[in-house]
Amino acid sequence: MSPKESAADDLQDLAALWSIGEARAHDVVEVACAALVAGLDSPALRILAGYTRAEAENEVPDLLPAVLDELDLVYYPRDSEAGQEAVLRALAHQLPAGKLTPRELASRVHQLFGHQLPKAERLAELDDEYDIIEYGDRTLAELDAAVTAEARTLAHNRLDHGQPS
């Protein structure tokens, strides 16, 4: 994956996380700066990258849809199922990046979506298994491996920088 593609993926993931309140507006600005450095460019991206921390909170909601549109990325409306699935993929990407452990991923997904999002159901079930591990028939290593496998599947289900499937 090229630096530009990686930056586009990072921006897409953070935009999805931001859309459900899981990332701060100034985090979006920081990723926009990194995207410019990586070679992505658009008029709205340049404006977004120039916001201060204080401006970010008020300006990101209005500008982010334009940035994503100019870069051929997807803006997910707040609380849409497609947006929730994008957040699920974004969280799954954090496991191989070392930002989350398998247990943290399963717990976070379970907290966010419970058993309500079909594509997140397996991780929610695995989080339940972590809670009763001393009574279950799986070891911690087996649970971690199952979460890692599920995260890998979810992370690879992305098409064209997060376009809905």
Side-chain angles (χ1 to χ4, degrees), residues 1-10 40 161:
M1 179 179 296
S2 76
K4 284 172 86 171
E5 291 170 329
S6 181
D9 284 349
D10 290 347
L40 287 180
H161 302 296

Side-chain angles (χ1 to χ4, degrees), residues 25-101:
H26 69 269
D27 295 330
V28 175
V29 171
E30 289 177 14
V31 168
C33 291
L36 280 173
V37 169
L40 287 180
D41 194 18
S42 82
L45 181 64
R46 283 183 242 134
I47 293 168
L48 179 61
Y51 286 144
T52 65
R53 231 176 220 268
E55 294 169 324
E57 205 60 45
N58 291 323
E59 303 298 334
V60 166
D62 293 329
L63 189 59
L64 187 57
V67 170
L68 297 173
D69 184 55
E70 287 177 0
L71 296 173
D72 252 355
L73 300 174
V74 179
Y75 176 74
Y76 296 101
R78 189 173 286 282
D79 298 324
S80 68
E81 185 170 331
Q84 291 173 342
E85 290 175 2
V87 167
L88 181 60
R89 284 188 303 272
L91 290 171
H93 289 138
Q94 292 184 0
L95 182 65
K99 295 178 182 174
L100 291 174
T101 65

Side-chain angles (χ1 to χ4, degrees), residues 12 14 19 22-23 43 74 90 109 115 117 129 142-144 149 165:
Q12 182 71 74
L14 199 65
S19 77
E22 286 297 305
V74 179
V109 167
H115 293 272
L117 184 64
E129 285 191 49
E142 289 171 330
L143 275 177
D144 286 351
S165 47

Side-chain angles (χ1 to χ4, degrees), residues 8 27 37-38 70 77 80 86 90 99 102 115 119 126-127 134 139 145 152-153 158 161:
D27 295 330
V37 169
E70 287 177 0
S80 68
K99 295 178 182 174
H115 293 272
K119 289 186 179 179
L126 290 166
D127 183 52
E134 63 271 9
T139 66
R152 192 173 298 121
T153 299
R158 174 195 309 241
H161 302 296

